[in-house]
């Protein structure tokens, strides 16, 4: 892929220097802090430049230093928050990938105290917090993507490499990523007119589970063969989760694997399906044939979501609610206060960034689902049973997950001491968004059997992801047959 400079922005205490150094090692490139370039060029430290040339003088020097760093090509660059102003923001957009290392005010403050930071701001907690709040909008506006900078630096660096680009206009990066390769676009026909670029072939398909069938994948293989794609070429998959799952699997399997880019165009796709490298199709059961094949990049433009039907939006929102329950904090509050529908572009960008960065973080720590990646299955144990019995297509996946979430929270109240208010609030939230919390009319036995069938392959009894509290999930829990049966009964009962 075409390498651009990787620019890290974020508040004091976000770990730009440590993470930047690690990233430079991982990428085999250099790391520089733009402020160091300014002081080295000036032969003075920052206070001295301010004294001699004023703030304007310092800003001009910073602007020039950044311009020359960007012109120097690939490398990792850390920027001070004050540097994010025009015309630098425009230049960054043209020439770099800007990653926001997002750290909450408490963590940032604790870190600068430990570091014994001597900057004046690091000693005045009120000013520190006020500036932290003020800067968020600036980082959000300038960044291509967003990474939770709370974990240890190595985990943050890995997450930066796996994180999607999430911003309005993200598709302006397609051309550069395709470069001089031959690329085949496999695109959902609902969005075919919204994906720009010159492709060797444009192959439009109907979205939906049929795309993930044996016939569907055969058509994709033939399309790639007709386009004479080689292993150095590229597949670009644009659409909902069904299209990215199928086209990603076509890329994983054609000529034993060719690189691909994902352009998710549904909320499910942007917060979940296109992230983490799982691809596949449905043969005897859902997702039973597939491969891990990480896309080279994921481009999420939240403005693409404005044409989703209310039902498709809500189904994706159920996964966002799930992620909010797992992550807690700002994402949970954002979901709890969300008005039905896609909201403003800014809020939607924030929602997609927070959900996708949580998934990236979990998946980076546990790529092959041996431990914490299981958290993402909150609501999916009973949810999958409900989905299977309703018949794929009877309920959308996200709708079945809404039912499954209610069931998982109920079990959490019974066996983990979860505050019952979390259950009540979440059920009310799901209902407000037009989502079901009970699959009324389904046979409990059938749901239980489908759920057990699902788990037999995983080696035995159903295991649950439950919550001790919002933001505090646990996995591998067996609540016992009686409680599981009661949870399933409740899930198929009439809604309260
Ligand atoms: N690989 C993973 O890790 C993973 C994770 C979660 C879900 N999934 C898979 O994702 C699939 C569900 O994804 P989905 O909900 O995106 O379904 P989908 O792909 O069927 O898309 C839903 C509908 O929206 C339409 N559509 C797509 N983009 C649109 C747009 N911008 N405007 C209007 N309509 C648009 C599609 O044509 C389709 O009719 C399932 O097959 C599921 O197994 C995979
Ligand atoms: Zn799901």
């Amino acid at each position: 892929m075409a390498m651009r400079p990787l620019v890290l922005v974020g508040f004091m205490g976000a770990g730009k220097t440590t993470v930047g150094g690690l990233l430079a090692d991982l990428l085999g490139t250099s790391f520089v802090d733009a402020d160091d370039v300014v002081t080295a060029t000036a032969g003075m430290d920052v206070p001295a430049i301010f004294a001699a040339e004023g703030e304007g003088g310092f800003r001009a020097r910073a602007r020039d230093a950044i311009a020359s760093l960007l012109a120097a090509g690939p490398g990792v660059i850390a920027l001070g928050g004050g540097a994010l102003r025009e015309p630098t923001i425009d230049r960054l957009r043209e020439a770099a990938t800007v990653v926001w290392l997002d750290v909450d005010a408490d963590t940032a403050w604790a870190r600068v105290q430990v570091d014994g930071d001597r900057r004046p701001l690091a000693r005045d907690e009120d000013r520190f917090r006020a500036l932290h709040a003020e800067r968020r909008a600036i980082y959000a506006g300038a960044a291509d993507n967003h990474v939770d900078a709370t974990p240890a630096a190595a985990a943050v660096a890995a997450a930066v490499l796996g994180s999607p680009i999430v911003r309005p206009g993200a598709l302006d990066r397609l051309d550069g990523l395709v470069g001089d390769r031959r690329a085949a676009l496999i695109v959902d026909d609902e969005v075919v007119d919204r994906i720009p670029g010159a492709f060797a072939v444009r192959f439009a398909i109907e979205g939906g589970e049929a795309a993930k069938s044996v016939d569907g994948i055969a058509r994709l293989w033939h399309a790639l063969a007709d386009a004479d794609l080689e292993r150095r070429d590229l597949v670009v998959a644009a659409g909902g989760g069904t299209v990215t799952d199928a086209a990603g699997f076509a890329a994983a399997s054609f000529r034993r694997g060719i690189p691909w880019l994902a352009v998710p165009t549904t909320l499910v796709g942007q917060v979940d399906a296109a992230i983490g490298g799982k691809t596949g199709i449905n043969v005897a059961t859902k997702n039973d044939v597939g491969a891990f094949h990480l896309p080279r990049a994921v481009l999420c433009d939240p403005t693409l979501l404005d044409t989703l039907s209310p039902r498709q939006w809500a189904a994706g929102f159920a996964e966002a609610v799930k992620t909010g329950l797992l992550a807690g904090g700002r994402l949970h509050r954002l979901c709890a206060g969300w008005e039905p529908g896609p909201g403003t572009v800014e809020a939607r960008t924030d929602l997609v960034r927070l959900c996708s960065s949580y998934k990236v973080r979990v998946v980076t720590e546990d790529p092959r689902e041996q431990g914490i990646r299981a958290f993402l299955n909150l609501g999916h144990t009973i949810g999958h049973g409900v989905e299977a019995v309703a018949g794929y297509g009877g309920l959308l996946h996200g709708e079945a997950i809404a039912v499954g979430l209610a069931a998982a929270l109920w079990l959490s109240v019974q066996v983990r001491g979860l505050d019952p208010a979390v259950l009540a609030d979440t059920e009310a939230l799901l209902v407000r968004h037009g989502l079901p919390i009970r699959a009324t009319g389904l046979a409990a036995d059938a749901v239980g059997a489908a759920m057990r069938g699902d788990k037999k392959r995983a080696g035995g009894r159903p295991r649950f992801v439950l919550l001790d509290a919002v933001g505090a999930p646990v996995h591998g829990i067996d609540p016992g047959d009686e409680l599981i049966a009661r949870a399933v009964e409740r899930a198929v009962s009439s809604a309260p």
Side-chain angles (χ1 to χ4, degrees), residues 284-326:
T285 57
K286 205 162 140 78
N287 298 327
D288 54 353
V289 174
F292 281 101
H293 188 44
L294 274 173
R296 293 286 173 92
V298 180
L299 304 180
C300 298
D301 182 343
T303 59
L304 288 173
L305 307 180
D306 53 17
T307 48
L308 285 179
S309 69
R311 191 176 172 201
Q312 292 289 354
W313 169 268
F317 188 73
E319 298 280 5
V321 171
K322 173 199 80 177
T323 314
L325 289 165
L326 294 169

Side-chain angles (χ1 to χ4, degrees), residues 339-358:
E339 290 303 323
T344 65
V345 174
E346 291 75 29
R348 212 182 309 153
T349 303
D350 203 23
L351 184 75
V352 172
R353 280 182 174 169
L354 289 170
C355 289
S356 58
S357 62
Y358 180 83

Side-chain angles (χ1 to χ4, degrees), residues 179-249:
D180 59 1
R181 291 153 196 267
R182 286 165 46 77
L185 175 70
I186 297 172
V187 58
D188 187 312
D189 54 16
E190 292 286 335
V191 292
V192 66
D193 301 331
R194 301 175 78 183
I195 312 299
F199 295 93
V201 271
R202 279 178 166 262
F203 195 67
I205 60 175
E206 205 175 311
E209 292 300 320
K212 289 175 63 172
S213 63
V214 175
D215 285 350
I217 193 82
R219 277 194 289 276
L220 297 185
W221 284 324
H222 279 294
L224 299 182
D226 290 346
D228 206 17
L229 239 54
E230 301 280 346
R231 282 174 73 174
R232 69 170 296 277
D233 297 331
L234 188 68
V235 170
V236 177
T242 57
V243 173
T244 52
D245 272 14
F249 182 56

Side-chain angles (χ1 to χ4, degrees), residues 209 212 241-242 245-246 278-291 380 384 387 392 397 454 457:
E209 292 300 320
K212 289 175 63 172
T242 57
D245 272 14
K278 278 194 197 174
T279 68
I281 58 168
N282 315 321
V283 180
T285 57
K286 205 162 140 78
N287 298 327
D288 54 353
V289 174
H380 282 59
H384 276 154
E387 189 179 13
Y392 295 105
H397 171 75
D454 214 25
R457 288 183 295 281

Side-chain angles (χ1 to χ4, degrees), residues 42-109:
M44 298 182 262
D45 64 11
V46 176
I49 302 174
F50 267 74
E53 302 172 6
E55 182 177 348
F58 176 77
R59 297 287 167 221
R61 284 181 177 276
R63 188 192 59 218
D64 294 347
I66 294 163
S68 63
L69 287 171
L70 291 178
V76 182
I77 305 166
L79 288 195
L84 288 178
R85 52 187 72 214
E86 296 301 348
T88 296
I89 293 180
D90 271 350
R91 296 197 102 105
L92 290 170
R93 174 96 351 127
E94 281 157 24
T97 296
V98 181
V99 180
W100 171 18
L101 300 187
D102 186 10
V103 66
D104 62 85
D106 293 342
T107 308
W109 177 249

Side-chain angles (χ1 to χ4, degrees), residues 164-189:
I165 290 179
V166 184
R167 64 170 165 76
L171 300 193
D172 60 11
R173 295 291 299 279
L174 258 179
D175 268 354
L177 287 163
V178 171
D180 59 1
R181 291 153 196 267
R182 286 165 46 77
L185 175 70
I186 297 172
V187 58
D188 187 312
D189 54 16

